[in-house]
Amino acid sequence: RHLLRHSSAGILDIAGGKGILAFEFLNLNGIECTVCDPRSHLTLQRCVRALKAGYLHRNKLLAQKYADRTWEECVQSVARNPHSAEPQHLRLFFDDKLIEFMEHYGTDESAMHMQHLIKYQLKQFKKFNVNDDDEECRRAIEERITVDCIKMVRLMKRCSVIIGMHPDFATEFIVDFALKYNKAFAVLPCCVFPKSFPQRRLNGKSVTKYDDFCDYLVQKHPDVKQCRLELMGGQNKVIYYVPPSDLLDSDTGASDSSLSCELI
């Protein structure tokens, strides 16, 4: 965590939902954390109130083991800049299209492929979110997606860690991206979506169950590990990977000593 606090891009939280986990990294640890999630906005009003009132620091386990900043430091930071308590939010779908674009990042064809990426993201929003009759909403989303796509590819290049807490459809894409670009990652798998990913195989059989899905992700690389979050019930397996220090991108600033299963 100490090294991550000095990383300019920090953590990329995929399918981060309301943004609670990113909020805690940002405020309790002082680590830059960006949420990538297609929802229209993060919902952090209760988190901000809890932070100001000191509720997060009254939790002894959280405060003693996971908080690097005192309550006074958090309150002073919010007082100086009320928006500083909220992590950056990029309204995008994280899947293979974003990963494929990274192959063209920085090349002569980068601009063309960026336009294709933006159009694809807009198509996803049209499929899942946008009312075709709402022209104003469509234009607003198009402007937002264009800006967020540019920010996202830069973060994908520079981030130190990529995480996903029950990221559903994006789970395997997180793992594949991290392994391909030597990024540390930690994911808590949830839904398997066997009909959407019929190509998955473990020991010659289709991957249809949660435990098999976790094992399937682990077998992608010999250094990928898994453990359980004992304080969390339900689907609490963490699949994680820390690349050897000699493989880390020099832009990330993280090392193999900075991460463990306790990151989440």
Side-chain angles (χ1 to χ4, degrees):
R1 295 204 301 263
H2 171 73
L3 290 172
L4 283 172
R5 287 198 298 274
H6 294 85
S7 169
S8 60
I11 298 171
L12 188 54
D13 183 5
I14 303 301
K18 296 179 180 179
I20 295 174
L21 184 59
F23 175 89
E24 293 181 354
F25 275 125
L26 178 61
N27 291 282
L28 297 183
N29 304 113
I31 298 172
E32 289 297 321
C33 193
T34 298
V35 177
C36 173
D37 193 288
R39 66 176 57 206
S40 60
H41 60 278
L42 305 182
T43 309
L44 295 169
Q45 294 87 343
R46 292 182 63 182
C47 291
V48 174
R49 290 197 297 268
L51 181 69
K52 290 180 178 179
Y55 293 134
L56 297 180
H57 287 82
R58 291 176 195 172
N59 183 321
K60 292 184 179 180
L61 177 62
L62 186 66
Q64 293 176 2
K65 193 171 184 179
Y66 298 109
D68 298 312
R69 303 173 75 196
T70 65
W71 173 69
E72 290 79 10
E73 288 175 326
C74 293
V75 172
Q76 290 173 6
S77 177
V78 175
R80 288 193 298 268
N81 181 5
H83 298 293
S84 66
E86 298 188 9
Q88 179 177 215
H89 173 213
L90 303 182
R91 194 180 179 191
L92 299 172
F93 292 88
F94 189 85
D95 57 18
D96 55 332
K97 300 300 182 184
L98 267 171
I99 300 173
E100 289 172 5
F101 174 81
M102 295 301 292
E103 298 177 1
H104 306 284
Y105 182 71
T107 68
D108 293 339
E109 298 178 341
S110 181
M112 178 187 70
H113 286 283
M114 174 61 78
Q115 291 302 316
H116 292 164
L117 177 62
I118 292 171
K119 290 179 180 179
Y120 169 77
Q121 288 285 337
L122 289 170
K123 184 183 295 185
Q124 294 299 96
F125 274 94
K126 184 176 182 180
K127 180 178 179 180
F128 292 106
N129 292 282
V130 180
N131 186 335
D132 291 339
D133 298 328
D134 192 341
E135 181 65 20
E136 183 177 351
C137 180
R138 188 195 65 78
R139 286 200 305 270
I141 289 178
E142 182 173 355
E143 292 174 1
R144 171 77 181 270
I145 297 310
T146 300
V147 173
D148 285 359
C149 277
I150 296 172
K151 291 181 179 179
M152 184 62 177
V153 295
R154 291 173 179 169
L155 279 170
M156 288 171 70
K157 170 65 176 176
R158 295 169 53 237
C159 71
S160 298
V161 183
I162 182 167
I163 63 174
M165 189 167 185
H166 293 173
D168 292 333
F169 197 86
T171 302
E172 187 175 3
F173 295 126
I174 295 173
V175 175
D176 289 344
F177 166 73
L179 291 176
K180 184 173 183 177
Y181 291 99
N182 299 316
K183 303 285 186 180
F185 77 81
V187 294
L188 277 80
C190 184
C191 301
V192 180
F193 299 105
K195 292 183 179 179
S196 298
F197 300 94
Q199 75 282 3
R200 290 173 179 160
R201 290 289 186 275
L202 181 67
N203 299 323
K205 298 180 180 180
S206 297
V207 177
T208 60
K209 298 180 179 179
Y210 169 74
D211 288 334
D212 289 342
F213 184 36
C214 292
D215 292 340
Y216 165 80
L217 295 174
V218 169
Q219 61 85 39
K220 282 178 174 285
H221 192 283
D223 292 329
V224 174
K225 298 178 175 60
Q226 65 175 306
C227 66
R228 288 186 181 274
L229 294 183
E230 299 299 337
L231 298 179
M232 177 180 175
Q235 294 166 319
N236 61 355
K237 288 186 178 182
V238 183
I239 314 300
Y240 66 101
Y241 168 74
V242 181
S245 57
D246 59 333
L247 291 180
L248 284 167
D249 191 310
S250 60
D251 291 338
T252 65
S255 77
D256 56 353
S257 63
S258 67
L259 292 168
S260 72
C261 187
E262 292 184 350
L263 176 65
I264 301 295

